[in-house]
Amino acid sequence: MTTTTPATYVRTVQTMTYAAGRAAVDAALERAAEIGIAVNVAVTDPSGALLAFARMDGAPLLSSGIAQDKAWTVSAFNGIATHEFFGLIEDEPALREGIVHRDRLVVFGGGVPVRVDGVLVGAVGVSGGSAEQDREIAEAGAAAVATPD
């Protein structure tokens, strides 16, 4: 008979703090201002729960939910950036056509993981510009917290 210890049922998860979330938001907002785009910025913990959020003056209201969904998508798929997602499903028609109907899933740029020492600790989602602009801004936010891999 195998004996199970309590440690078998528990795992420790590293996560961003609120201060880290704010640092990511602030860095993203700074980059957005530099390129002249009004965006929404969302930061989630590794489970996809919202940690920090900001909506710049003039940012599209609808984009606030999209930014949150981009960060959630990254967390929900263990750190796959949203700009990478379509490439993973484009050659599988049934998956490609079906999965995009899932609530909150975003398969275009603007959601990136935040990793510290190779561990996913959260995600940054940005919406309000083009997919490329959103990605650039989200990457600036993530870089404020992440460590090089």
Side-chain angles (χ1 to χ4, degrees):
M1 176 177 211
T2 304
T3 303
T4 305
T5 63
T8 305
Y9 298 113
V10 177
R11 65 184 170 105
T12 302
V13 177
Q14 291 182 298
T15 185
M16 293 171 58
T17 62
Y18 172 71
R22 282 297 308 270
V25 165
D26 290 346
L29 294 176
E30 183 177 327
R31 183 66 188 132
E34 289 171 359
I35 64 175
I37 304 293
V39 297
N40 295 271
V41 180
V43 178
T44 60
D45 68 15
S47 72
L50 188 63
L51 186 60
F53 178 82
R55 178 174 177 244
M56 295 175 74
D57 294 339
L61 181 58
L62 181 63
S63 291
S64 64
I66 296 170
Q68 292 175 51
D69 290 348
K70 287 179 180 182
W72 179 88
T73 297
V74 173
S75 293
F77 283 93
N78 297 320
I80 297 173
T82 59
H83 65 272
E84 297 172 335
F85 206 93
F86 187 77
L88 298 173
I89 63 172
E90 68 182 330
D91 294 331
E92 296 189 45
L95 180 59
R96 184 185 67 237
E97 300 303 320
I99 200 166
V100 295
H101 296 289
R102 299 297 307 164
D103 288 342
R104 303 199 69 186
L105 178 69
V106 178
V107 297
F108 48 88
V112 300
V114 179
R115 296 185 192 282
V116 173
D117 297 329
V119 176
L120 179 69
V121 296
V124 179
V126 173
S127 184
S130 69
E132 294 78 23
Q133 291 166 328
D134 290 352
R135 176 182 172 185
E136 177 183 344
I137 295 164
E139 287 174 345
V145 179
T147 60
D149 285 338

